[in-house]
Amino acid sequence: MARRGQMVVVSGPSGAGKSTICKRLLLDPRIVFSVSATTRKQRVGEVDGRDYHFLTIEEFRKKVEAGEFIEWAEVFGNLYGTLRKPMQATLDSGKTCLLEIDVQGALQLKAIGEPGIYVFIAPPDFEELRKRLVARNTETPEALERRLHKAEDEYQERVKYDHVVVNDDLDRAVARVKQILGLDEPART
Ligand code: ADP
Ligand code: 5GP
């Protein structure tokens, strides 16, 4: 019988450092990324099937109707969802399945009682969050303001998570998440 792996949900406000932390976590072969489906446009450098499964709105809606998503949400005008099948396959393989999803999605999974470790990545403060989003240079000024406004609401939800990790120093934040996952010792070969 395959050992069931653990699911870890990493979420938090835009700009808090979720992607940066997840990239570092994925250097560990015991952790597998859950590739979400989305209707947003593919960005330069992104690979279909690796970063996301890029779908049309019709394709996404069909999967919603077929019950293929364990959670899905509209985030900043686009649809995003976690596919059940690949997530189950990772868990059956005994590996840690890493979901990097927004707060609405994380709370949906919590609400259905999906077993896992729920980690909220928090910025040190909102001024630093603004600085990071400005430095990332991916948003128009209006989109940036929208994300900051939403971040304040999302921050209130941190109490619903199992752990809050403040991403002040990146190395420290990554080490803390690995410790939470029980993966702070190197993999045995
Ligand atoms: P998210 O995925 O939560 O939207 P990102 O991972 O894209 O956030 O991080 C937002 C920006 O902040 C990026 O430019 C990233 O390089 C930077 N960043 C992430 N973590 C830190 C940190 N600990 N200290 C300083 N800058 C950071
Ligand atoms: P981006 O478009 O910048 O890659 O992601 C935008 C937001 O969508 C991020 O907060 C990211 O965590 C979230 N997201 C990515 N995949 C999923 C998913 O499958 N479900 C949900 N609910 N949110 C997702």
Side-chain angles (χ1 to χ4, degrees):
M1 224 345 230
R3 190 167 52 89
R4 191 178 152 89
Q6 59 184 346
M7 179 193 76
V8 55
V9 174
V10 167
S11 78
S14 180
K18 301 180 297 291
S19 304
T20 309
I21 290 173
C22 287
K23 271 196 201 104
R24 290 276 296 270
L25 292 173
L26 288 165
L27 297 174
D28 187 320
R30 295 167 293 184
I31 305 176
V32 175
F33 185 58
S34 162
V35 181
S36 294
T38 184
T39 61
R40 92 146 154 70
K41 280 210 193 90
Q42 194 168 343
R43 293 180 187 143
V44 176
E46 283 183 330
V47 176
D48 191 16
R50 182 194 72 184
D51 299 294
Y52 281 106
H53 298 288
F54 294 97
L55 304 180
T56 63
I57 294 178
E58 294 69 37
E59 286 168 336
F60 194 100
R61 291 269 173 226
K62 271 198 193 133
K63 289 193 188 297
V64 170
E65 277 158 33
E68 290 186 39
F69 294 118
I70 188 163
E71 66 74 33
W72 67 274
E74 184 178 329
V75 187
F76 302 118
N78 295 303
L79 303 175
Y80 295 83
T82 303
L83 293 157
R84 284 175 200 279
K85 255 201 199 151
M87 175 174 148
Q88 195 53 51
T90 300
L91 296 177
D92 289 346
S93 76
K95 296 213 174 193
T96 293
C97 185
L98 172 65
L99 276 63
E100 191 219 310
I101 62 177
D102 89 316
V103 172
Q104 304 171 71
L107 296 182
Q108 281 181 44
L109 291 177
K110 262 257 167 202
I112 61 169
E114 184 61 28
I117 304 176
Y118 292 75
V119 181
F120 186 93
I121 305 296
D125 55 60
F126 287 99
E127 209 31 59
E128 176 63 21
L129 186 66
R130 175 185 288 277
K131 277 193 204 147
R132 287 184 191 173
L133 280 173
V134 169
R136 194 172 71 180
N137 202 20
T138 50
E139 315 303 324
T140 61
E142 299 76 43
L144 195 138
E145 290 310 319
R146 232 176 332 147
R147 279 169 194 249
L148 283 170
H149 185 73
K150 191 162 176 230
E152 291 184 17
D153 292 339
E154 289 175 335
Y155 188 66
Q156 305 306 318
E157 306 286 8
R158 71 194 184 287
V159 294
K160 298 181 181 158
Y161 287 70
D162 303 317
H163 301 274
V164 177
V165 172
V166 178
N167 178 22
D168 42 13
D169 175 77
L170 181 62
D171 287 340
R172 216 166 37 215
V174 171
R176 176 71 189 121
V177 178
K178 289 198 89 169
Q179 186 188 38
I180 289 167
L181 300 181
L183 297 176
D184 41 352
E185 297 294 330
R188 280 175 211 213
T189 47

